[in-house]
């Protein structure tokens, strides 16, 4: 199959490579297209071999002949100007490909911390809290949506609208990521709290 088009243009890959020769490197590492002279003082041989200028300039190169690039590489020490502490720190970063892992924190533990409890086990023993259960007085007949809203806000059906608003705001402070330090682990509960307040704020069943 011909690699030329009907108009006489050679569209083959090999033709493009001939027109745009790149710096080809032989098996020995020599750059066959290099026209540089060896940068070793007093050497007039062709500089076909490149070597990084320094550990801080790994993308900038010096060019040597084969003899002098070997001499340069023998003296090369990446950690020459670093302290032992810096070298150990670099080795630690290399173990994770220079991408440090974030500290793992339990979302539940962060929720307890916002309530002033460093360890969730502190709620046991002398610091134990009592679970009063759902606050349903059952003294008022309310629509199912408003009854559910009261349960979400952990309120009672005999509260005033001001009391309900205080309960709503206190929950928002704990659940909203813009207020609680960016924790988004409780967004589902936050949506429920917002929904509950929407059911109650305009209700005529609360003063």
């Amino acid at each position: 199959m011909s690699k030329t088009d009907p108009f006489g243009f050679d569209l083959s890959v090999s033709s493009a490579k001939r027109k745009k020769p790149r710096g080809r490197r032989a098996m020995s590492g020599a750059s066959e297209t290099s026209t540089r002279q060896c940068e070793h003082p007093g050497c007039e041989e062709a500089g076909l071999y490149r070597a990084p200028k320094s550990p801080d300039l790994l993308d900038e190169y010096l060019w040597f002949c084969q003899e002098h690039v070997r001499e340069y590489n023998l003296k090369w020490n990446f950690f020459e100007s670093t302290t032992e502490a810096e070298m150990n720190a670099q080795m630690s970063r290399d173990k994770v490909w220079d991408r440090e892992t974030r500290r793992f924190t339990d979302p539940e533990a962060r929720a307890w911390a916002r309530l002033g409890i460093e360890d969730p086990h502190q709620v046991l023993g002398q610091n134990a809290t009592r679970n009063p259960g759902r606050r349903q007085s059952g003294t008022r007949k309310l629509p199912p949506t408003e009854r559910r809203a009261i349960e979400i806000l952990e309120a009672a059906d005999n509260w005033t609208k001001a009391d309900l608003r205080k309960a709503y705001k206190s929950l928002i402070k704990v659940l909203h990521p813009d207020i609680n330090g960016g924790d988004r682990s409780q967004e589902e509960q936050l949506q429920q709290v917002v929904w509950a307040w929407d059911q109650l704020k305009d209700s005529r069943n609360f003063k």
Side-chain angles (χ1 to χ4, degrees):
M1 182 177 180
S2 175
K3 294 184 179 179
T4 58
D5 69 355
F7 300 99
F9 295 102
D10 188 352
L11 302 179
S12 63
V13 175
S14 59
S15 174
K17 288 184 177 180
R18 288 195 300 269
K19 293 178 181 178
K20 298 180 180 180
R22 296 183 179 180
R24 299 175 57 189
R25 302 184 66 185
M27 294 295 292
S28 63
S31 178
E32 298 177 351
T33 58
S34 174
T35 58
R36 299 173 178 82
Q37 182 177 336
C38 178
E39 297 187 40
H40 188 274
C43 182
E44 297 181 358
E45 297 291 332
L48 302 179
Y49 301 85
R50 68 182 189 180
K53 287 186 176 181
S54 69
D56 297 329
L57 300 173
L58 296 177
D59 294 330
E60 298 183 17
Y61 305 99
L62 298 172
W63 291 84
F64 299 103
C65 64
Q66 188 175 39
E67 177 183 354
H68 290 126
V69 77
R70 289 176 178 173
E71 180 182 335
Y72 182 85
N73 287 338
L74 288 174
K75 297 178 181 179
W76 174 266
N77 183 0
F78 185 84
F79 296 104
E80 181 178 2
S81 59
T82 58
T83 63
E84 183 177 356
E86 292 173 338
M87 182 174 64
N88 292 335
Q90 180 64 46
M91 293 175 65
S92 298
R93 291 194 297 269
D94 290 342
K95 291 180 180 178
V96 292
W97 297 280
D98 209 13
R99 297 180 63 183
E100 297 183 5
T101 56
R102 296 182 178 179
R103 180 182 177 184
F104 177 79
T105 54
D106 186 2
E108 184 177 352
R110 293 200 300 269
W112 283 112
R114 288 194 297 271
L115 299 176
I117 301 175
E118 299 178 358
D119 184 355
H121 296 291
Q122 290 180 355
V123 300
L124 303 177
Q126 295 181 353
N127 296 325
T129 57
R130 295 181 180 179
N131 184 5
R134 294 182 177 178
R135 299 179 182 177
Q136 290 189 15
S137 60
T139 59
R140 300 182 60 187
K141 185 176 181 180
L142 297 173
T145 54
E146 294 186 7
R147 177 64 64 184
R148 175 57 182 157
I150 289 176
E151 293 176 0
I152 293 174
L153 296 181
E154 300 178 358
D157 58 10
N158 59 352
W159 285 15
T160 66
K161 194 166 294 185
D163 295 331
L164 296 174
R165 185 183 296 108
K166 290 180 181 179
Y168 165 73
K169 288 184 176 180
S170 63
L171 289 172
I172 288 295
K173 290 180 181 179
V174 175
L175 301 174
H176 201 291
D178 291 342
I179 304 176
N180 65 14
D183 182 10
R184 297 182 177 274
S185 62
Q186 303 178 86
E187 287 187 340
E188 183 176 352
Q189 185 178 354
L190 172 64
Q191 294 175 0
Q192 294 179 358
V193 170
V194 173
W195 174 85
W197 175 242
D198 287 339
Q199 310 309 310
L200 301 175
K201 64 181 181 180
D202 296 326
S203 174
R204 296 181 179 180
N205 294 318
F206 299 91
K207 296 181 180 179

